Amino acid sequence: MNSRKIKDGIINIFIWAAAAFSVGILIAIVYFIFSNGLPLISSRFITAQYNASTNIIHMTSEQTFLQPSGQDIFSENLGIGLEQDDDGFWVNYVDTNSPGRRAINNADEIVPVEVGQLLQAVTGADGQLRVDANTSPEDVVAALNSSPDITLRLNEQGGGVWPLIVTTLLLILTTLLVAAPIGILAAIYMVEYAKPGKVVNTIRFATEILAGIPSIVYGLFGFLVFVNTLHIGQSILAGALTLMILLLPTMIRTTEEALKTVPMSYREASYGLGANKIQTISKVVLPSAIPGITVGVILAIGRIVGESAALLMTLGTFARLPVNMSTGNLSLREAGTTLTVRAYVEVNESGNVEMAAAIGIVILVIVFALNIISKLISRKFSKANY
């Protein structure tokens, strides 16, 4: 009896020690990230471009804009508002119809005026006005309103992660839009249509094998097939298609297990009421399995955000907004980089641990927010508790 108590006590000690170790590691990681990265977090860090740049852009104004309330420095000619500080005049408002949103540079590329840019010079009917912190607001506004044709020199300070956030969110959305339907439909076939046997067992075995393949192999496949063979080039689309293949095993397995948890009595009751198979699956089985499917989506989001090796080959490392220069619109055919890839590049190339940690904080916030949204959607559409 005493021997059994001793064994039980030793097992309990190991259990508590393992739990304490896991929690301690998690706390240590979070503390390291926040202690190193939190000093860099600010509104400008979130909204600014990553690389510093200076753009000379031209625009033509064809209307007069009303000054918004609370906007002290405003150009009625361009619909652009400014704020002044010790560094100069910063763009803090751009009207929806402002010609600044369709401004072009000397290469006839659309380079829109954006919030957070520093105004350095204005060229209008009265010549060029160089703008700095000592320039009076009246002179700046007069120069902006001096002519229908205006040329601006704007400086983007850089050091922000806005392009990385946009690229990461676009990659998540595109990958899920492709991977989720395919994975869910494949799982429905496995559970609802396929007869148990060698074929199903072979498919499940292959799925498990695919789940264990290193992501660098998927990256090589995506680079050879999507980037080179199909001539998509390094882009969000190529990265999403590569991650779709990488995520399919996880999506299929988690959805398959979720469908298996739906009691057979639900299906029999549906058939008894006269519903066919498609109606039963869409109206009864899938709504009841949504909580389990949501787990697969959450795991997929975490995998997408945390992936780096496959994206280095298919998406690239360009820390800029994925904007088509000829249209000025976001495009899935443009290269870019995600938050995780950029954090890796920062540490690998310059040893900038603080910047990588700050990016890590943004990643944690995005993943946390997306997980909450996924759970809210799951609760809204789930019928498991009805």
Side-chain angles (χ1 to χ4, degrees), residues 168 171-172 175 213-219 239 242-244 246-247 299-316 337-344 363:
T168 300
L171 182 69
I172 292 172
T175 304
I213 294 177
S215 60
I216 187 66
V217 177
Y218 288 101
T242 302
L243 292 185
M244 177 269 292
L246 186 149
L247 291 175
L299 291 174
I301 291 173
R303 187 72 185 272
I304 295 168
V305 174
E307 188 54 54
S308 59
L311 296 177
L312 282 169
M313 298 182 177
T314 56
L315 178 60
T337 193
T338 63
L339 290 160
T340 302
V341 173
R342 194 64 221 179
Y344 164 77
I363 292 173

Side-chain angles (χ1 to χ4, degrees), residues 85-100:
D85 64 12
D86 294 337
D87 295 321
F89 290 82
W90 299 88
V91 177
N92 68 342
Y93 173 82
V94 182
D95 191 275
T96 305
N97 298 315
S98 169

Side-chain angles (χ1 to χ4, degrees), residues 38-93:
L38 198 58
L40 294 181
I41 299 295
S42 64
S43 60
R44 184 164 292 174
F45 177 80
I46 301 298
T47 59
Q49 299 292 325
Y50 188 84
N51 295 313
S53 62
T54 299
N55 293 312
I56 298 176
I57 57 176
H58 318 281
M59 66 198 82
T60 300
S61 178
E62 299 177 348
Q63 58 181 307
T64 301
F65 297 88
L66 296 177
Q67 183 170 352
S69 60
Q71 186 69 58
D72 297 328
I73 308 174
F74 181 76
S75 168
E76 297 178 351
N77 184 39
L78 302 177
I80 295 174
L82 304 168
E83 62 178 348
Q84 185 181 17
D85 64 12
D86 294 337
D87 295 321
F89 290 82
W90 299 88
V91 177
N92 68 342
Y93 173 82

Side-chain angles (χ1 to χ4, degrees), residues 215-238:
S215 60
I216 187 66
V217 177
Y218 288 101
L220 287 169
F221 175 83
F223 180 78
L224 293 174
V225 175
F226 301 125
V227 176
N228 285 345
T229 304
L230 298 181
H231 304 292
I232 296 177
Q234 286 190 323
S235 62
I236 294 175
L237 182 59

